[in-house]
Amino acid sequence: MPADEIYHLLRSYDPSDVSMQQFYAVWVEDIRAEEAVVLMNGDPASGTPDTFAGWGSGSDGSAGEAAGLLAGPFGTWTLIIGDYRVTEDETLLALSGSGGRVLAIDWDFNGSTTLKYAKDGELLTVLDILDTDDRSGSDPDALDPYLHGLRFNIDDDVPGEPVISLAESFTSAMIAVGRVVGHQMDGNWLEATHTAYVVPADDVY
């Protein structure tokens, strides 16, 4: 796999700009999509079939607007994509409160670029995707076994090696998630039919 492949795969679904501006996703262990949606204040009865290519979130996170969630199985886990609120700490703690693990990618080209890991209602690790020395949580090094061989830090300049790009940093984070989950993001998931849910405006998570 090319070092920046997943970034460009996701980017290919948005022809509006030369870069991938935003991507917010959580992977949840041992919780079905409907249960996770309820924890995010979504309406499970609103579920309709949809694909990543055809789905629109319904909100960019502005107050007072209904939001959207796209959820589907990802190997033995559940993957949920939405706006920035799906990756907030309170959401991850709620999703992991029953004992399962939760991973999140919080990617905003003009803001946060983090990989998060929670378990048992506790935020274990928060890594800056572009500078993994910037980390926090109760166990900041918990994801290190899954980072082997991946390149993140865009300011690293190693003689004889190519410069690390934003696209490679993002792809490295997605590969690390895939190593934990046991399944890597690919075109099959993005093209498959999943379920879109509405989070009503008065209950936006």
Side-chain angles (χ1 to χ4, degrees):
M1 173 188 296
D4 58 2
E5 180 174 341
I6 297 177
Y7 176 95
H8 290 294
L9 173 63
L10 289 164
R11 166 71 189 83
S12 69
Y13 287 86
D14 180 10
S16 64
D17 198 85
V18 296
S19 61
M20 188 172 67
Q21 296 294 313
Q22 297 174 331
F23 182 76
Y24 306 102
V26 291
W27 291 257
V28 186
E29 183 180 36
D30 296 335
I31 299 182
R32 295 182 303 112
E34 295 84 355
E35 297 175 66
V37 166
V38 169
L39 289 171
M40 294 176 163
N41 296 322
D43 177 8
S46 69
T48 58
D50 212 337
T51 64
F52 182 80
W55 172 73
S57 69
S59 172
D60 63 358
S62 300
E65 296 183 18
L69 303 169
L70 182 70
F74 194 86
T76 60
W77 293 49
T78 296
L79 171 56
I80 303 170
I81 299 174
D83 64 36
Y84 76 92
R85 289 164 291 200
V86 304
T87 63
E88 289 188 320
D89 293 352
E90 305 79 44
T91 303
L92 306 185
L93 298 182
L95 290 171
S96 66
S98 61
R101 294 174 291 172
V102 175
L103 290 148
I105 296 283
D106 176 9
W107 176 266
D108 183 332
F109 186 76
N110 296 308
S112 181
T113 53
T114 55
L115 168 60
K116 299 181 179 183
Y117 177 43
K119 183 180 179 182
D120 294 328
E122 183 177 2
L123 193 60
L124 298 180
T125 308
V126 179
L127 293 178
D128 187 330
I129 293 169
L130 306 183
D131 180 7
T132 54
D133 291 331
D134 183 358
R135 56 178 68 193
S136 60
S138 62
D139 188 359
D141 304 328
L143 289 175
D144 281 3
Y146 303 97
L147 307 184
H148 180 71
L150 301 175
R151 304 197 315 160
F152 295 88
N153 304 339
I154 61 173
D155 291 331
D156 285 356
D157 185 9
V158 180
E161 293 188 9
V163 173
I164 302 173
S165 66
L166 292 170
E168 181 176 357
S169 295
F170 176 88
T171 298
S172 291
M174 292 290 287
I175 291 173
V177 169
R179 288 175 176 177
V180 178
V181 173
H183 185 76
Q184 295 291 344
M185 174 64 77
D186 57 22
N188 291 332
W189 195 94
L190 296 172
E191 294 292 336
T193 299
H194 305 295
T195 306
Y197 298 92
V198 172
V199 182
D202 290 340
D203 287 319
V204 170
Y205 52 93

